[in-house]
Amino acid sequence: MHKKLFIPGPVDVAEDVLQKMATPQISHRGKEASTLQRNISNKMRKVFNTKEEILLSTSSGSGLMEGAVRSCTAKRAAIFSVGAFGDRWFKMCTANGVPADKFDSEWGQPTTKKTIEDVLRTGKYDLITITMNETSTGLMNNIEDLSSVYKNYPEVVVCVDTVSNAAGTEVKVDEWAIDICITSTQKCLGLPAGMSICTFSKKAVARAKQVTNRGVYFDLLGLYDCIQKKDYQYTSTPSLSHMFALDYQLDKILKEGLNNRYARHIDNAKIVRTWAKKYFDIFPNEKFMSNTVTAIKNTRQIDVSDLNKKLGEKGFIISNGYGKLKDETFRIAHMAETTQQEIKALLETINGILGLK
Ligand SMILES: *Cc1c(COP(=O)(O)O)cnc(C)c1O
């Protein structure tokens, strides 16, 4: 039996979208491939609210995260971490020999303007990373608010991880002055894992030109140059299957309407939050709750693995807590094509298993 996925990626993929993965292959050096990538880029510009270039990568989001810090740090990177995925970005820096420092918020708390201001004022950094939606803690940073600080430092390349929220909640890349905004297919975009997408500003292009050891496969300038030189083609052989499905799914997303899609995610989140507050508690600071995944404090000390086993028998799966929060929290994702009806069915099933009234 297929278990309906309420985990923060991968997500369930609509049958017609899945079918598009089976489209017959085409040459990645033909006109058709250019048209496909250009169409995807034009649609992704709408999702990201940007006029800048869109890069595709045949990798999950982590590939572009690693490529971003490696390709665009000339001096030193400041990593603002609010959980596991911020920490991952720091690890990518050190493993690539990119000079970096990490500035942590307590798990469940956001990145603050004061922290960014204090760090950037030192003048030591020319690239920063921020996690918009931290999947490990169910927290969503307010990038618009934070941008009022980093906008005063025009020499800094701003990288934002929107892997678990882009296409599920609004992202305004140009207005928020984001240079590299990253997402991947298996979260709110509602596709299988295996492709990631980012924006790449002119400032990021100029910076990458000053960096010598950008690597090869995840050299973002390489991806950018290939688009310019080969009219929207990819440096190596991309997953054309993902591209067929992504192009199609973006049409569906735009047909639903981005604002309708965002409203649906918020409605979904509200149902889960209300349930969580009635029977458990919310893990992150409630002013910064994620619209796409809710991290719930395990105040009843339930055995989450056991709950998931029983849910599995009824055709559902949720997530335990991430890393050090494994037993302290559990997470219910409400992203991509998930409907209110499906969430209500999940919560009723959990109530039945745990005997909650
Ligand atoms: C899932 C996730 C990632 C990692 O993305 P992959 O596509 O699995 O490499 C990074 N950041 C956040 C916030 C995520 O939720």
Side-chain angles (χ1 to χ4, degrees):
M1 179 179 40
H2 173 69
K3 291 181 200 165
K4 182 109 192 93
L5 300 172
F6 291 90
I7 58 175
V11 297
D12 282 309
V13 181
E15 193 54 43
D16 54 336
V17 177
L18 215 43
Q19 285 303 321
K20 286 287 166 188
M21 296 284 289
T23 306
Q25 297 292 294
I26 58 172
S27 161
H28 67 300
R29 291 291 172 240
K31 248 196 160 65
E32 255 184 295
S34 293
T35 304
L36 182 60
Q37 185 163 340
R38 194 183 311 103
N39 286 346
I40 291 169
S41 301
N42 286 335
K43 292 168 203 172
M44 281 307 300
R45 282 193 187 93
K46 294 182 184 166
V47 172
F48 280 131
N49 286 295
T50 185
K51 293 192 172 62
E52 302 290 354
E53 196 53 273
I54 301 288
L55 310 181
L56 303 184
S57 172
T58 291
S59 69
S60 73
S62 302
L64 282 176
M65 288 169 69
E66 185 157 353
V69 289
R70 178 158 178 175
S71 303
C72 292
T73 309
K75 210 159 68 178
R76 198 172 187 88
I79 307 298
F80 295 102
S81 177
V82 291
F85 289 103
D87 289 356
R88 181 179 292 187
W89 229 335
F90 182 65
K91 193 172 166 195
M92 288 164 172
C93 289
T94 48
N96 279 286
V98 173
D101 297 302
K102 182 157 74 82
F103 303 94
D104 292 310
S105 299
E106 190 190 325
W107 281 37
Q109 295 301 328
T111 299
T112 66
K113 284 196 282 194
K114 185 178 181 310
T115 308
I116 296 183
E117 176 69 53
D118 289 349
V119 168
L120 291 186
R121 207 176 350 178
T122 64
K124 278 164 65 179
Y125 304 96
D126 63 354
L127 180 141
I128 62 172
T129 74
I130 305 173
T131 311
M132 178 161 174
N133 194 72
E134 179 48 78
T135 315
S136 61
T137 60
L139 175 136
M140 191 159 71
N141 270 314
N142 184 339
I143 304 293
E144 180 171 19
D145 191 41
L146 299 177
S147 75
S148 68
V149 174
Y150 64 66
K151 276 177 180 171
N152 299 324
Y153 296 88
E155 73 282 9
V156 172
V157 168
V158 177
C159 306
V160 178
D161 171 354
T162 63
V163 171
S164 62
N165 70 279
T169 196
E170 191 165 52
V171 179
K172 294 181 170 176
V173 167
D174 291 355
E175 213 178 298
W176 301 345
I178 301 171
D179 296 296
I180 305 176
C181 188
I182 301 167
T183 196
S184 51
T185 46
Q186 79 280 14
K187 308 227 173 153
C188 301
L189 281 167
L191 295 152
M195 181 156 268
S196 51
I197 305 128
C198 74
T199 67
F200 201 57
S201 74
K202 294 186 187 60
K203 193 205 284 185
V205 173
R207 170 63 56 72
K209 286 180 178 164
Q210 304 169 356
V211 177
T212 36
N213 292 308
R214 298 186 304 271
V216 178
Y217 193 73
F218 293 116
D219 172 11
L220 301 199
L221 185 61
L223 290 170
Y224 176 86
D225 280 344
C226 187
I227 288 168
Q228 317 305 314
K229 287 180 193 142
K230 293 188 181 163
D231 188 24
Y232 278 95
Q233 288 182 10
Y234 191 70
T235 42
S236 46
T237 319
S239 171
L240 294 155
S241 304
H242 278 89
M243 291 170 71
F244 292 128
L246 177 56
D247 187 44
Y248 176 81
Q249 168 70 346
L250 283 167
D251 283 337
K252 286 185 76 178
I253 288 173
L254 295 171
K255 190 164 173 232
E256 177 181 15
L258 287 171
N259 287 334
N260 294 334
R261 193 172 176 86
Y262 302 149
R264 177 164 59 73
H265 278 76
I266 291 169
D267 290 343
N268 287 347
K270 280 182 181 159
I271 297 172
V272 177
R273 290 169 192 165
T274 305
W275 175 85
K277 288 196 72 123
K278 182 166 175 195
Y279 298 110
F280 294 90
D281 209 351
I282 303 281
F283 176 74
N285 182 331
E286 288 187 28
K287 289 198 205 100
F288 296 90
M289 287 185 288
S290 162
N291 290 344
T292 61
V293 56
T294 298
I296 298 158
K297 226 189 239 170
N298 186 7
T299 51
R300 291 173 179 257
Q301 266 92 53
I302 59 161
D303 182 334
V304 179
S305 318
D306 186 59
L307 169 62
N308 239 343
K309 208 170 115 224
K310 288 174 178 149
L311 278 172
E313 289 159 11
K314 301 195 182 293
F316 300 94
I317 180 171
I318 61 169
S319 253
N320 52 12
Y322 196 102
K324 65 182 180 187
L325 297 176
K326 190 171 185 296
D327 299 310
E328 235 179 279
T329 66
F330 59 98
R331 293 170 301 156
I332 297 177
H334 28 81
M335 55 175 72
E337 311 318 312
T338 308
T339 63
Q340 293 194 27
Q341 222 172 359
E342 290 165 336
I343 287 176
K344 284 177 187 160
L346 168 75
L347 298 178
E348 275 167 29
T349 307
I350 296 179
N351 283 357
I353 292 169
L354 297 179
L356 303 173
K357 287 192 194 78

